[in-house]
Amino acid sequence: MLADLTRRYEGLRKHLYADDGKLRNFVNVYLNDEDIRYLQREQTPVKPGDTLSIVPSVAGGVPVDTRADLKVGPYTRAAGAGFHAGPTPELTQDEIKRYSRHLIMPEVGLDGQRQLKASSVLCIGAGGLGSPAAMYLAAAGVGRIGIVDFDVVDYSNLQRQLLHGTPDVGRSKLESAKDRLQALNPHVQIDTYETSLSSDNALALFEPYDVILDGTDNFPTRYLVNDACVLSGKPNAYGSIFRFEGQASVFGTKEGPCYRCLYPEPPPPGLVPSCAEGGVLGVLPGIIGVIQATEAIKLMLGVGEPLIGRFLIYDALKMRFRELKLRKDPDCPVCGTRPTVTKLIDYEQFCGMRPEPQAVQAATGANEWEITSLELKRRLDAGDDLFILDVREPNEYQINRIPGSTLIPLGELPRRYQELDPDREIVAHCKMGGRSAKAQEFLGSVGFRKVKNLRGGILEWVDKVDPSQPKY
Ligand code: ZN
């Protein structure tokens, strides 16, 4: 089936297979709900009616299935369940009124609500996933909520990041988030950390919290959050979103797999578009972020069956949830039996975001591979013969464009590059520079020697050369 698929869809081959002909590490193939790594890979028999799923890492498997041990009774709380076995704080009269719908449920009750008050969650990011997650955690009475973010609110955030309103545009996301969460519930403590999560600060930031909620949007931070969770023994309520599809799981528990069990290696930079490049349906993070908050609350209460060892995939277009089994990989470099990653590493480098500078120069000549917006403008004004190649999608081209540019989306380039003149100087651009770097690499591989990448993409062009055009 895989051979047939790659014959019919030629472009799929390089995504599925490495140069040595092996299935790539960041692509998982499931037959029904089983990872074929644990069957016989490509020798696995397929019968009519079977479903074969290719699950690439937009985000984030294993033989120790201990779900039975994790279940704390199907619908009731066991005495002393939750993280805080000792005495938990009393609730005030106001809190009893506020949480009354929880207090009358046997699965929460007064004891469970006090557990929540004693518990804490650290949200990584106050964006699409962090917004609904933090709002529901605050409303539910989780005693201490930390948020790590360093961004400011932008108009393009408002389509999905409900922590922030129109008057907050330009403000720090943390200030805006804190105001919103304290207005929602003044009884909870909101800790804000205006910093980007790094290998130097992650373990110290995680230390005071019971659960980590991963709301990040990039691979280096995902691997950093995963490794820091495993190393510090904190569960990771994981979520990821792209366009109409979301994923959720709970990683980093002793019993279950981690993100690296599922995806040992990140995809090469540029192969998987970010939400800023590929877009995301505004309500999608609402659904996935609330699933993450639900899992965090279940872990803190010690009720139900957590999403440990299970990978939930949500398709908003079909309105369908699917669940895949995940297994703990005994050879996982972080959580396996003989871990090789025992401290935090350089994740930008691990994800190939910062190639060795010598390597770039050797491959392309000293900085001949990039052009700035101002330089491009100057050369266009001087009448230089430049071919401007826009590799974005048609709907992005409708929003803004560089005058005189030609649109060939990155995905179409392998079958359309013959439309281009290899002897002419080409400036490739996309939204921010990622896809056009891939285009440049591809064109280089088919003999084009005069391709430059526009640094910062059209966003920088709009900022520095043509502010009359809209940004997205
Ligand atoms: Zn692992």
Side-chain angles (χ1 to χ4, degrees):
M1 283 181 73
L2 292 173
D4 180 54
L5 265 179
T6 49
R7 250 192 319 273
R8 284 192 290 164
Y9 303 96
E10 203 184 310
L12 189 63
R13 170 160 293 277
K14 68 175 180 7
H15 291 272
L16 282 187
Y17 293 98
D19 292 337
D20 60 8
K22 291 205 174 110
L23 269 175
R24 289 183 182 273
N25 265 337
F26 53 85
V27 175
N28 286 336
V29 181
Y30 281 80
L31 180 64
N32 300 321
D33 64 350
E34 279 285 340
D35 189 331
I36 68 164
R37 266 184 297 181
Y38 302 100
L39 302 171
Q40 291 119 27
R41 300 227 65 148
E42 282 147 282
Q43 309 310 317
T44 307
V46 182
K47 346 179 261 311
D50 279 350
T51 304
L52 191 78
S53 318
I54 299 168
V55 186
S57 51
V58 175
V62 239
V64 188
D65 185 347
T66 53
R67 267 177 283 158
D69 304 338
L70 292 160
K71 215 188 291 181
V72 188
Y75 299 109
T76 50
R77 289 187 73 249
F83 286 110
H84 299 275
T88 49
E90 297 287 347
L91 300 184
T92 63
Q93 290 297 332
D94 285 347
E95 288 175 304
I96 288 172
K97 257 187 244 158
R98 175 181 288 263
Y99 305 127
S100 66
R101 298 297 185 278
H102 271 167
L103 302 180
I104 56 180
M105 293 201 300
E107 298 82 357
V108 184
L110 192 62
D111 187 35
Q113 195 64 49
R114 288 167 57 177
Q115 278 285 346
L116 289 179
K117 187 172 178 177
S119 302
S120 55
V121 179
L122 181 67
C123 298
I124 314 300
L129 295 168
S131 281
M135 284 165 81
Y136 274 102
L137 292 170
V142 173
R144 181 174 180 192
I145 299 168
I147 309 175
V148 186
D149 206 301
F150 59 92
D151 223 352
V152 295
V153 181
D154 183 83
Y155 275 107
S156 66
N157 299 148
L158 302 176
Q159 164 249 26
R160 63 197 179 286
Q161 301 182 11
L162 302 192
L163 271 174
H164 320 295
T166 308
D168 298 314
V169 170
R171 276 182 93 193
S172 123
K173 283 194 178 175
L174 285 181
E175 281 176 29
S176 162
K178 187 166 183 169
D179 287 353
R180 179 79 185 96
L181 295 172
Q182 294 284 207
L184 196 59
N185 190 347
H187 302 289
V188 300
Q189 179 185 332
I190 309 294
D191 308 327
T192 53
Y193 305 98
E194 190 120 32
T195 180
S196 67
L197 193 72
S198 74
S199 300
D200 296 328
N201 63 22
L203 293 174
L205 284 171
F206 286 17
E207 209 277 324
Y209 295 91
D210 296 320
V211 179
I212 310 302
L213 193 143
D214 182 1
T216 56
D217 60 355
N218 63 81
F219 286 107
T221 319
R222 285 221 178 277
Y223 281 94
L224 167 60
V225 171
N226 179 73
D227 292 2
C229 279
V230 174
L231 293 175
S232 59
K234 311 271 179 186
N236 172 10
Y238 164 89
S240 179
I241 46 171
F242 183 67
R243 294 191 168 167
F244 292 96
E245 194 178 281
Q247 307 175 340
S249 193
V250 171
F251 290 123
T253 61
K254 257 196 224 57
E255 309 85 351
C258 79
Y259 183 64
R260 287 221 205 198
C261 293
L262 181 58
Y263 296 116
E265 285 172 10
L271 193 66
V272 178
S274 65
C275 285
E277 289 177 337
V280 61
L281 185 71
V283 297
L284 183 68
I287 293 165
I288 301 299
V290 170
I291 290 174
Q292 292 176 271
T294 309
E295 289 306 301
I297 286 174
K298 280 163 56 188
L299 289 168
M300 292 183 277
L301 287 174
V303 298
E305 295 175 41
L307 264 180
I308 297 171
R310 296 187 288 150
F311 195 57
L312 191 69
I313 298 180
Y314 169 66
D315 181 337
L317 280 179
K318 294 193 177 132
M319 194 46 77
R320 191 174 289 164
F321 284 94
R322 293 187 55 206
E323 191 182 308
L324 302 174
K325 276 188 205 139
L326 297 185
R327 308 182 196 207
K328 196 174 175 81
D329 180 357
D331 298 324
C332 174
V334 193
C335 78
T337 46
R338 291 173 310 277
T340 52
V341 178
T342 53
K343 58 181 179 43
L344 298 176
I345 57 170
D346 181 335
Y347 291 88
E348 296 272 323
Q349 197 177 53
F350 174 64
C351 294
M353 314 290 265
R354 200 172 45 231
E356 303 291 318
Q358 313 86 294
V360 172
Q361 292 202 351
T364 56
N367 268 349
E368 282 299 293
W369 50 286
E370 214 178 45
I371 184 167
T372 62
S373 299
L374 291 172
E375 175 68 5
L376 175 62
K377 170 76 167 125
R378 189 192 63 74
R379 292 196 51 195
L380 288 171
D381 290 345
D384 286 2
D385 178 41
L386 294 172
F387 183 87
I388 304 173
L389 173 67
D390 186 336
V391 299
R392 298 175 300 160
E393 299 299 316
N395 42 355
E396 297 178 85
Y397 188 77
Q398 283 174 353
I399 301 171
N400 54 21
R401 69 199 74 120
I402 297 177
S405 59
T406 300
L407 180 73
I408 303 183
L410 180 61
E412 295 178 17
L413 206 52
R415 58 181 174 80
R416 292 184 56 189
Y417 70 89
Q418 277 132 336
E419 295 171 27
L420 306 173
D421 178 357
D423 296 325
R424 215 168 150 195
E425 205 177 329
I426 297 175
V427 174
H429 85 85
C430 59
K431 183 182 180 188
M432 295 183 294
R435 282 170 289 173
S436 49
K438 296 300 288 184
Q440 182 184 34
E441 194 186 311
F442 168 76
L443 289 171
S445 74
V446 293
F448 285 74
R449 292 283 165 263
K450 293 158 80 175
V451 185
K452 286 189 166 68
N453 187 13
L454 180 64
R455 189 196 292 172
I458 194 147
L459 290 188
E460 202 168 303
W461 171 270
V462 173
D463 277 341
K464 300 210 164 135
V465 177
D466 186 5
S468 70
Q469 292 204 57
K471 292 204 317 188
Y472 63 100

